[in-house]
Amino acid sequence: MGKNEYLPLFETRATRGRLLFKLYVLTIFVAICMILVYRVSFLPVEGAVEIWSWTGMFFAELWFSFYWFITQLVRWNPIYRYTFKDRLSQRYEKDLPGVDIFVCTADPEIEPPTMVINTVLSTMAYDYPPEKLSVYLSDDGGSDLTFYAMLEASRFSKHWLPFCNKFKIEPRSPEAYFRTALEPLDDPVNAKEWLFVKKLYTDMNYRIEAATKLGKVPEEIRKEHEGFREWNLISGRRDHRAILEILIDGRDPQAMDNEGQPLPTLVYLAREKRPQYPHNFKAGAMNALIRVSSRISNSPIILNVDCDMYSNNSYSVRDALCFFMDEEKGHEIGYIQYPQAFENITKNDIYCNSLNIDMKVDFPGLDANGGPLYIGTGCFHRREALCGRRYSNENKVDWKEVADRKVKESAGVLEEMGLKYGCPVEDVITGLSVQCKGWRSMYFIPERKGFMGLAPTTLLQTLVQHKRWSEGDFQILITRHSPFLLGHKRIPLRLQISYCIYLLWATSWFSVLYYLVVPPLCLLRGISLFPKLSSPWIQPFVYAIFANRAYGVVEFVWCGGTIQGWWNGQRIWVFKRTTSHLFGFFDAIRKLLGLSTDTFVITAKVAEEDVSERYEKEKMEFGVSSPMFSILATLALLNMFSFVGGIKMVIMDVESKALDLLALQIILCGLLVLINLPIYQGLFFRKDSGRMPSSVTYKSIIVSLLACSIALY
C-alpha cells in the first residue's frame, strides 16, 4: 500500500469564490432593513382599513425577511465531498463489508411490479462482490403479482448480472438501459448476447404486465412455486400474516449466475399489517426489514431506496464505503445521504419537481452546518446508528473483522429501532434522532447521479405531496421532536436553525396569501401600500425584488435549469404556499389538538396516456375538482380583476397621481396575472380533459367577484 495507506478515503472542499454571494447577501440585508424602517416610519394614522392593511404588510415582510435570513444561513458556506475508490480497493477489497439493500413498495397499482423489479435488479447489479450484497423487498401491498414479478426477476438476474459486468453498462436498470442503449453492431458475438438478454427482459416484462392486466397470476404459474401457497390463506391485501420468501440465498454455494459466479441474496417480505400505524407504511416496512435482515445477512451497512428510485450508478456502494471506512472520521458517520434525481422531468420542469436547488445548494449548506436531513431514500446507514445506538469512540471498528460482528438486540433497542412512527415525514425525525445520538451525517453528490426516480406528473399530485411534506415538517417543529428540544445541546445551534428551512414551510402560507389578497383589494379602493413612484423609499423595494430574482435566475441556471424553468418555479412557489402549506399547517394543528389522525397518500408513479402527453407538452394538468384548485382559481381571478381595475384608474386619472401612488401594486398584480396564465387557460380556453372543472370555475368567479365588490363598496 505504501504511502496511500495513510491517505483519507474522502475529502471535503469548501466552495470558493463566495465574495459576490456575500456581497449580494449584505446588500439585500441593507435593503430589507430599509423596507422595515419604511413600514414603521410611515404607518398610517387614519383609517382602520389603511392601518390594519399596512400593519399586516409589515408582519408579512418581517416574516419574509426572517425566512430569507435562515435560507442565507444555510447557503453561506456550502461544502462538497469527494471520494477515492481506488484507495478503498487497495486497502479493503478482500475485506469489504456486507451491504443490505431495502426496497419498499405498497401498492401494485400505483407502483407497478415492472417498476419495482427494475429497481431491485439495478441494486443487485452493483459493482461489488455479489456474495456481500443482500436485497430485501418489503411489499406492504401483500400482492401475489409483486411476488410473481420478484420470482421472474430472480431468474432473469442470473443473466442480467454477468451481462452488466461484462459490458460495464450504466445504468443497471434493464428498463432504463434498453430504453436508450444501442446494439453493439461492431462485434457480432457481443451483439448476439446483447439481443439475447434484451429478448429475455422483453419476454419477462411481457409476462409480468400480462399478469398485472389480468389482475392475477395464472394458475399454471402458481403451481410452479410453492411460495404462492401463502396467498391461498389471504383474505385480502390488508389482512394477512407475514410472508417471507428467500428467492435467492447468497449463502448457498448453489446460488450461481449462468457463468458460475455468486449471486446476491434476494428476499421478499410481506409483513403482517399493523393497523395502529396505517400512515407510516415505510417506517413499519423498514423496521420489519431490519429485524428480518438481522437474522439472515446482518450486514453492518444498510441502503434504503424507494421502489421507483433505481440505481443509476453501479459504484454508489463503493463511494458510500469511502466515508464509512475512512480510518480517521468513518467511525463517526451514521448515514450518507445521496441526492434525489428524477428521469421524467420535462425540459422546463413545469411543476418544479427536480429539487435541483435543494439538492445542489441547500443540502451542501446543511452538510456544512452539521449534516443533511435524511430524506427517506438513496441513503446509506450504519446499522448500529439506525438501530438506535448512541455514538461513542468505542464504535471504531476493524473492518477486516467486521463480518464476524453481530448486532445485539436488547428489548430497549428494539423499541427504538429504525424509523420513527407518528409523523408523515418519519424519515426526517429518524435522521434528526440519529444526529442527536451523536452520529454525524454527510451529503455526497457523485459525478454520475446515484439514483433516478419518478416525479409527480400532475399539479394536484405535486401539491398533495408538498402538503404532506410541509405538514409533517411543521408537525416536527411543534412537538417534542423539534430540533430545538430534541437537539438541544446535542446538535449545533446552526443545524437546529438550518432545519427550519423546511420545518417552517407550512407557516409561510399567511404572508404569501396576505400579499396575494390585501394589496389587490386595496388597489381597488385606491389605498397605497407601497412608496410612491417618485419617492426615494421605492429604491430598497425595487432592489430587493430585482436583485433577489436576478440571483435566483443565475442560481437556477447554474443548477442545470432553464430561464423558463425558473419562471415555472416562481409559479409553483406561489401555488404551494397558498394551498399545500395552508392545508398542511391546519392539518398539523388539528392533529396536535387530537381532532384528526395521520393519513399517508402514496404519490402515483404512472399516469394515463393523455395525462402523460400533456405533461410532455408542458400543459398544466387540472382535470379534477379540488379545494386547492378552487383557491388557486379564486386568487388568480381576484388579481386579474384588480389589475384591470388599477389600469382603469391610471387611464382615467388625467394628472397621473394614481400611477405615482399605486404603481408597485399594479406591477404586483400584473406579475401575478402572468404567473397565473395557465390557470386562466384552464378556466376559460382549454377544451381537453385536463382543463379546470366547471364547478371550480363557477365557484372561483363568484367568490372573487364578491371579494372585489366588498372592497369597492
Side-chain angles (χ1 to χ4, degrees), residues 414-450:
L414 286 175
E415 289 179 2
E416 58 180 36
M417 176 182 283
L419 274 69
K420 308 302 179 184
Y421 293 107
C423 179
V425 287
E426 69 280 353
D427 37 22
V428 177
I429 291 182
T430 300
L432 177 59
S433 177
V434 169
Q435 292 170 334
C436 290
K437 287 183 172 66
W439 298 97
R440 294 190 62 187
S441 63
M442 291 188 177
Y443 185 64
F444 177 62
I445 306 176
E447 186 174 345
R448 179 183 176 86
K449 294 176 180 178

Side-chain angles (χ1 to χ4, degrees), residues 605-619:
K605 305 302 188 299
V606 292
E608 296 178 2
E609 186 175 347
D610 59 333
V611 174
S612 296
E613 289 178 1
R614 287 191 290 270
Y615 176 68
E616 293 297 327
K617 295 177 181 178
E618 298 193 331
K619 294 181 69 175

Side-chain angles (χ1 to χ4, degrees), residues 378-398:
C379 188
F380 287 85
H381 304 265
R382 184 187 297 270
R383 181 181 286 266
E384 290 180 329
L386 195 57
C387 287
R389 281 187 169 74
R390 294 186 177 277
Y391 167 77
S392 73
N393 289 325
E394 297 177 0
N395 290 326
K396 209 163 189 177
V397 299
D398 183 351

Side-chain angles (χ1 to χ4, degrees), residues 137-152:
L137 175 73
S138 173
D139 175 21
D140 258 30
S143 169
D144 54 350
L145 294 171
T146 303
F147 176 73
Y148 167 58
M150 285 287 287
L151 186 62
E152 288 277 9

Side-chain angles (χ1 to χ4, degrees), residues 125-410:
Y126 274 122
D127 188 307
Y128 200 74
E131 67 275 11
K132 296 184 178 182
L133 285 177
S134 300
V135 181
Y136 297 81
L137 175 73
S138 173
D139 175 21
D140 258 30
S143 169
D144 54 350
L145 294 171
T146 303
F147 176 73
Y148 167 58
M150 285 287 287
L151 186 62
E152 288 277 9
S154 68
R155 295 166 177 168
F156 177 68
S157 67
K158 297 179 181 180
H159 300 275
W160 178 244
L161 270 59
F163 176 78
C164 291
N165 293 329
K166 178 177 180 179
F167 289 91
K168 302 297 180 184
I169 68 169
E170 295 282 9
R172 298 193 172 183
S173 156
E175 177 64 32
Y177 174 73
F178 286 123
R179 187 169 58 240
T180 56
L182 298 176
E183 177 186 345
L185 298 175
D186 57 330
D187 189 327
V189 176
N190 288 345
K192 182 178 180 181
E193 183 176 354
W194 192 92
L195 290 171
F196 172 72
V197 174
K198 182 178 182 180
K199 186 177 186 306
L200 285 179
Y201 174 70
T202 303
D203 292 346
M204 176 188 70
N205 205 46
Y206 174 80
R207 292 192 297 272
I208 295 172
E209 290 191 347
T212 303
K213 290 179 181 178
L214 187 64
K216 63 178 182 178
V217 180
E219 196 60 35
E220 61 272 17
I221 295 176
R222 297 178 73 93
K223 293 178 180 178
E224 292 180 8
H225 197 283
E226 62 180 10
F228 286 107
R229 296 176 185 174
E230 296 283 355
W231 275 267
N232 296 331
L233 305 174
I234 294 177
S235 58
R237 288 178 181 169
R238 301 295 174 186
D239 180 22
H240 61 80
R241 67 180 187 180
I243 301 172
L244 177 65
E245 292 288 336
I246 301 178
L247 301 176
I248 300 176
D249 190 345
R251 301 166 299 181
D252 185 352
Q254 302 300 317
M256 298 287 181
D257 61 28
N258 67 333
E259 292 191 359
Q261 297 300 313
L263 283 168
T265 295
L266 181 60
V267 179
Y268 171 90
L269 171 68
R271 69 189 179 101
E272 186 176 5
K273 287 298 166 182
R274 297 178 179 270
Q276 64 267 42
Y277 302 122
H279 52 285
N280 287 124
F281 89 89
K282 185 189 287 186
M286 282 281 290
N287 295 345
L289 288 175
I290 290 174
R291 288 174 171 82
V292 169
S293 65
S294 68
R295 291 165 172 79
I296 298 176
S297 50
N298 196 38
S299 298
I301 304 299
I302 293 173
L303 162 65
N304 84 281
V305 293
D306 287 346
C307 64
D308 66 324
M309 298 289 291
Y310 67 81
S311 170
N312 187 61
N313 184 339
S314 62
Y315 294 100
S316 292
V317 174
R318 292 180 179 270
D319 278 322
L321 290 179
C322 286
F323 294 96
F324 289 115
M325 301 180 73
D326 182 76
E327 289 83 357
E328 183 179 350
K329 299 180 180 178
H331 65 286
E332 304 172 355
I333 300 173
Y335 63 86
I336 306 295
Q337 180 64 64
Y338 276 62
Q340 278 191 301
F342 306 96
E343 66 174 2
N344 64 332
I345 299 295
T346 58
K347 177 183 177 181
N348 297 307
D349 196 5
I350 183 173
Y351 298 126
C352 197
N353 281 323
S354 66
L355 304 179
N356 276 347
I357 300 298
D358 296 84
M359 297 294 108
K360 295 182 179 180
V361 179
D362 291 342
F363 266 62
L366 283 162
D367 198 2
N369 286 351
L373 288 69
Y374 166 41
I375 56 178
T377 184
C379 188
F380 287 85
H381 304 265
R382 184 187 297 270
R383 181 181 286 266
E384 290 180 329
L386 195 57
C387 287
R389 281 187 169 74
R390 294 186 177 277
Y391 167 77
S392 73
N393 289 325
E394 297 177 0
N395 290 326
K396 209 163 189 177
V397 299
D398 183 351
W399 289 101
K400 295 182 179 181
E401 299 178 0
V402 76
D404 298 326
R405 299 172 68 245
K406 299 295 181 182
V407 176
K408 299 177 182 178
E409 295 182 352
S410 65

Side-chain angles (χ1 to χ4, degrees), residues 51 77 124 154 192 215 224 305 337 402 424 426 463 465 468 473 505 562 634 665:
I51 293 173
N77 192 31
M124 292 178 70
S154 68
K192 182 178 180 181
E224 292 180 8
V305 293
Q337 180 64 64
V402 76
E426 69 280 353
L463 296 179
Q465 184 180 70
R468 176 170 63 85
D473 288 337
W505 267 351
T562 64
T634 300
Q665 276 163 266

Side-chain angles (χ1 to χ4, degrees), residues 657-691:
K657 291 183 178 179
L659 180 61
D660 187 39
L661 189 67
L662 302 170
L664 280 187
Q665 276 163 266
I666 294 173
I667 292 173
L668 175 62
C669 289
L671 287 173
L672 290 170
V673 168
L674 291 176
I675 279 177
N676 285 301
L677 284 179
I679 301 288
Y680 304 133
Q681 293 171 352
L683 287 170
F684 304 118
F685 303 109
R686 286 173 55 177
K687 303 299 180 183
D688 56 70
S689 59
R691 66 185 182 277

